[in-house]
Amino acid sequence: MQLKYLKNIQSPEDIRDYSIDELKELCNEIRDYTIDTVTTVGGHLAPTLGAIELTVALHHVFNTPKDKLIWDVGHQAYAHKILTGRLKSMNTIRQFGGLSGFLKRTESEYDVFGAGHASTSISAALGVAAARDQKNKDFKVAAVIGDGSLTGGLAYEGLNNSGILNTQILVVLNDNEMSISPNVGAISKYLTRITTNPLYNKIRNEIWNITDSLPWGKKLSKKILHKIDESLKALLVPGVLFDELGFRYFGPIDGHDINELVKALNNIKNINQPVLLHIITKKGKGLVSTREDNGEYHRDAVKFHAVKPNSTNGELKKSKKKIIPSFQDVFGYLSCEVARNRDDTICITAAMREGTGLVPYAKEFPNRYYDVGIAEGHGVTFSAGFATEGLRPIVAIYSTFLQRAFDHIVHDVAIQHLPVIFCMDRSGIAGEDGPTHHGSLDIAYLRCIQDMIVTAPRNGNEFRHLLYSALNQTKSPFSIRYPKSSAVEFDIDGQAELLPIGSWEVLRSGSDIAVLCVGSLSYDVERAAVALQKEDISLEIVNCRFIKPMDEDYLRSLIERFKIVITIEEGVITGGFGDGVSSWLLENDFQGQIKRLGLPDSFIQHGKRDELLDEIGLDENSIINTIKSLFVNTSNDTLIES
């Protein structure tokens, strides 16, 4: 690809003197380069394509990195990376050892604030602005937030506090009617009403433009016109939400018109109070359908939100081989199966219909499907309300996103003994999305909650057993964690088996070492056992599908039979399953060695799941080496290792 402009850009400083025509050409070049690169290596595509003109305009107008630019989520900031010296590394994005798919403070001085969760940018930007004021420094602060992220409560806490502090902060609302799924809720409808009623902005601008020609004093005329302005708002703009929160509202303007963007940003960047600029964009511009058929636009925008490597013109290559479904797809199937069998079940998610596998459920049971937007805390309390009325809510939220609702799980669900079922995708290693998306903490943060049942299926079939077992009890909240990976085994026509709460399953009997496994890692241990048997090391492998409560009868039985116990989990060791086993064994006078394997006490970076498991010692070969080392060096001394 010929790069006329990009090849000469080392930093945003290089585009500050560009003409509007040159900026237009630069945007086209970035868009073509992004499509070509991301469809080859994979990554978030549609979000970035919708924000290219905005990115170029911001870096053209503002003096970054002195001026601070803060992005919400960060997956729409590939163009930002390209303009800030990372062009030559873009082919490594989201790959092990390469660029992060989100913003990362250690990656560039231009990445002011890193995030992988939504709705953070306004609060973070306000903190930066307040710190600027404290230190008497002189720079501008701008935050970019999408309309999808504006469904999250944190965004409104930031907006509210901004109005109180009344300092310079620019919030750019990138309105494309999308988060990952089409946006839902009153805020989405409110923004639509604003964008479909341009009369207010037209009249307002014309009135303010005649101020200087009026015969009376400028101060008096501004005061009178301000009252007229307020009347116009009440008449033409429903809610005037942003103005009432203390923001000067400008827009909406075309977010793909670089000329209008540059003019608007130059006009408002020096306003010394909170300002909100509302822009209208198309997610995936240049790749997805731009026709007025909203259904087709939404489908394409969802389809190209993130693409896998080696896409052709955005079309993903399909494998001809029959593959086992992912846990995500198994959940989608089981949610429908359960709904057909039980009229009292409903499903709730937080703007992640596609990511959690609930697309088929939403189509088949639209009246029993609830998308609460990017509002995980509300989703949990909302589910608690359902449970008080005897319905059985199934809450599908990624492990890493559910931690945002920790207090709601405790206060609104667990304390009241409500049988809400939490299905947590992306538990453990989430792959290329990196540390903001790895579900490292859910075992630890759910184990400590009184009355909570914590489980992990070994495969898709056991997922069915656990889900029906959860529905079969009514006294406690019930969580099911599963990774972003193959479900290994799944029988579509299989029958559910109700499992005794707290029961474990011995997969392989042995005599030398007891290996207590959580989730699908048990398959790696089974393969390791075959290799170790050739070296006369006999493993007893246990499927610990119930993390809490534990199978105390089994634990009691192993005290006299084994001198070495190993726990394996795809979660942090600190506070995890292994901690629970270790504490129980020590309190019951176990005299042997205990080795806990799990995720380290550090944040794991991005890469393929297999690469990361190898890096942290949870792959098959590492497990074999760990077991061999323990067996050779075993002693009668009690030892806890991690």
Side-chain angles (χ1 to χ4, degrees):
M1 176 180 290
Q2 295 295 320
L3 302 178
K4 177 181 177 181
Y5 293 98
L6 283 180
K7 67 180 181 181
N8 299 318
I9 295 173
Q10 301 300 318
S11 75
E13 182 69 28
D14 296 323
I15 70 170
R16 302 265 156 78
D17 295 328
Y18 273 26
S19 67
I20 293 298
D21 287 340
E22 288 172 322
L23 292 176
K24 289 179 181 178
E25 290 299 318
L26 174 61
C27 291
N28 292 334
E29 198 168 287
I30 292 174
R31 182 166 278 108
D32 290 342
Y33 176 81
T34 301
I35 293 173
D36 184 66
T37 301
V38 177
T39 53
T40 300
V41 302
H44 292 98
L45 183 55
T48 278
L49 296 180
I52 286 175
E53 285 80 9
L54 172 62
T55 305
V56 170
L58 286 167
H59 280 297
H60 175 75
V61 171
F62 287 92
N63 184 28
T64 56
K66 179 184 176 183
D67 291 336
K68 310 301 181 184
L69 178 56
I70 297 170
W71 298 85
D72 206 87
V73 185
H75 59 6
Q76 78 278 44
Y78 286 17
H80 163 83
K81 289 177 181 275
I82 289 170
L83 291 175
T84 54
R86 288 168 274 184
L87 172 69
K88 294 181 179 178
S89 300
M90 285 300 293
N91 62 350
T92 72
I93 199 159
R94 300 176 83 247
Q95 298 175 43
F96 186 63
L99 291 180
S100 169
F102 300 92
L103 299 190
K104 192 173 182 181
R105 283 170 50 81
T106 56
E107 194 174 282
S108 171
E109 64 177 328
Y110 292 91
D111 292 3
V112 178
F113 193 83
H117 293 186
S119 312
T120 62
S121 60
I122 299 173
S123 294
L126 183 61
V128 172
R132 170 200 62 203
D133 299 343
Q134 284 281 338
K135 298 167 74 173
N136 293 316
K137 289 191 173 182
D138 181 22
F139 59 81
K140 307 298 181 187
V141 179
V144 179
I145 188 168
D147 53 323
S149 293
L150 209 61
T151 61
L154 181 61
Y156 293 93
E157 294 173 25
L159 287 169
N160 178 62
N161 198 208
S162 297
I164 294 171
L165 295 184
N166 197 36
T167 189
Q168 185 280 322
I169 178 176
L170 167 64
V171 174
V172 181
L173 173 56
N174 180 18
D175 184 355
N176 59 26
E177 303 179 342
M178 300 287 295
S179 47
I180 295 177
S181 305
N183 286 328
V184 296
I187 295 302
S188 176
K189 293 179 180 178
Y190 170 77
L191 294 176
T192 300
R193 288 199 298 271
I194 292 177
T195 61
T196 55
N197 193 341
L199 180 59
Y200 158 70
N201 284 288
K202 181 178 180 180
I203 296 176
R204 183 185 192 279
N205 291 338
E206 290 181 356
I207 289 178
W208 281 83
N209 286 338
I210 65 172
T211 300
D212 291 333
S213 62
L214 292 176
W216 55 79
K218 190 172 184 179
K219 185 175 181 180
L220 178 61
S221 63
K222 288 287 186 183
K223 185 175 180 180
I224 294 173
L225 288 174
H226 180 72
K227 291 183 177 180
I228 297 174
D229 183 30
E230 290 298 315
S231 299
L232 276 173
K233 288 178 194 173
L235 178 65
L236 298 174
V237 181
V240 293
L241 174 65
F242 303 113
D243 286 278
E244 294 300 326
L245 285 170
F247 278 76
R248 284 283 306 279
Y249 174 87
F250 294 88
I253 66 172
D254 183 353
H256 297 302
D257 186 331
I258 191 71
N259 186 35
E260 285 300 310
L261 282 171
V262 169
K263 284 182 180 178
L265 291 171
N266 274 320
N267 287 337
I268 65 180
K269 73 174 183 178
N270 292 316
I271 297 177
N272 194 31
Q273 71 176 83
V275 170
L276 188 138
L277 175 63
H278 185 181
I279 70 171
I280 308 300
T281 62
K282 286 288 185 183
K283 186 175 182 179
K285 180 175 173 58
L287 184 63
V288 307
S289 170
T290 57
R291 285 181 279 180
E292 292 302 315
D293 178 0
N294 283 335
E296 184 171 347
Y297 164 59
H298 286 153
R299 285 193 299 272
D300 285 351
V302 170
K303 179 179 180 182
F304 298 112
H305 174 80
V307 299
K308 296 178 181 178
N310 299 314
S311 303
T312 303
N313 295 325
E315 292 292 335
L316 306 185
K317 294 181 178 179
K318 296 182 179 179
S319 172
K320 295 180 180 179
K321 296 188 297 183
K322 184 178 180 180
I323 59 172
I324 301 295
S326 66
F327 275 105
Q328 171 185 314
D329 292 335
V330 167
F331 172 68
Y333 180 86
L334 291 177
S335 64
C336 293
E337 178 184 292
V338 165
R340 296 184 199 111
N341 294 330
R342 297 187 54 142
D343 292 336
D344 61 346
T345 58
I346 55 104
C347 281
I348 298 168
T349 191
M352 294 299 292
R353 180 184 62 190
E354 286 75 19
T356 57
L358 282 175
V359 171
Y361 183 94
K363 290 180 179 178
E364 186 173 351
F365 303 98
N367 295 329
R368 294 160 64 183
Y369 167 76
Y370 297 88
D371 184 342
V372 299
I374 304 176
E376 294 84 1
H378 162 64
V380 170
T381 304
F382 182 57
S383 73
F386 272 107
T388 64
E389 291 298 310
L391 293 179
R392 299 306 305 274
I394 300 171
V395 180
I397 298 176
Y398 287 4
S399 164
T400 185
F401 295 160
L402 188 62
Q403 64 202 29
R404 294 182 138 199
F406 179 79
D407 179 65
H408 305 263
I409 297 171
V410 176
H411 187 273
D412 302 329
V413 176
I415 286 178
Q416 303 189 89
H417 309 287
L418 295 172
V420 175
I421 300 169
F422 298 97
C423 289
M424 300 175 294
D425 202 337
R426 271 64 167 179
S427 292
I429 299 298
E432 292 85 352
D433 284 334
T436 59
H437 283 58
H438 295 322
S440 306
L441 302 176
D442 60 83
I443 294 177
Y445 73 68
L446 292 176
R447 269 190 69 241
C448 68
I449 299 177
Q450 302 95 317
D451 203 37
M452 173 68 72
I453 298 172
V454 185
T455 72
R458 163 176 153 87
N459 55 41
N461 292 326
E462 193 165 67
F463 196 162
R464 175 186 276 120
H465 304 333
L466 288 171
L467 185 56
Y468 279 89
S469 298
L471 289 165
N472 191 53
Q473 64 85 42
T474 59
K475 296 181 179 179
S476 299
F478 197 110
S479 65
I480 306 174
R481 74 180 314 258
Y482 44 96
K484 182 185 180 183
S485 68
S486 166
V488 190
E489 300 177 35
F490 184 62
D491 180 1
I492 289 179
D493 299 318
Q495 296 297 309
E497 175 187 345
L498 297 180
L499 303 173
I501 302 299
S503 64
W504 292 350
E505 175 190 22
V506 177
L507 301 171
R508 180 188 181 102
S509 297
S511 57
D512 293 321
I513 300 174
V515 186
L516 311 184
C517 308
V518 169
S520 59
L521 287 177
S522 60
Y523 285 94
D524 296 282
V525 178
E526 285 186 300
R527 289 190 291 269
V530 174
L532 289 166
Q533 189 174 28
K534 298 175 183 178
E535 302 189 35
D536 294 325
I537 301 176
S538 175
L539 302 186
E540 179 151 301
I541 303 172
V542 185
N543 170 27
C544 303
R545 54 204 177 192
F546 284 92
I547 298 167
K548 178 192 174 189
M550 299 186 296
D551 192 334
E552 295 187 5
D553 288 339
Y554 177 81
L555 285 173
R556 196 169 288 109
S557 75
L558 69 71
I559 291 177
E560 298 300 327
R561 295 192 297 123
F562 296 99
K563 292 297 182 183
I564 302 175
V565 174
I566 299 174
T567 64
I568 298 183
E569 61 195 296
E570 203 171 324
V572 290
I573 294 173
T574 305
F577 170 70
D579 265 9
V581 170
S582 299
S583 297
W584 193 96
L585 288 175
L586 289 179
E587 289 175 359
N588 287 273
D589 299 322
F590 178 65
Q591 299 299 310
Q593 295 191 48
I594 305 170
K595 177 68 176 178
R596 298 164 299 164
L597 297 179
L599 305 187
D601 190 23
S602 59
F603 291 103
I604 301 167
Q605 298 308 308
H606 57 278
K608 294 180 180 178
R609 185 167 182 267
D610 290 344
E611 292 174 326
L612 298 178
L613 289 175
D614 177 67
E615 176 79 3
I616 61 179
L618 288 182
D619 63 303
E620 182 182 334
N621 289 332
S622 297
I623 291 170
I624 290 173
N625 292 333
T626 298
I627 292 174
K628 287 170 64 175
S629 176
L630 274 174
F631 187 73
V632 170
N633 297 312
T634 187
S635 69
N636 292 323
D637 295 330
T638 301
L639 176 67
I640 298 178
E641 300 180 9
S642 61

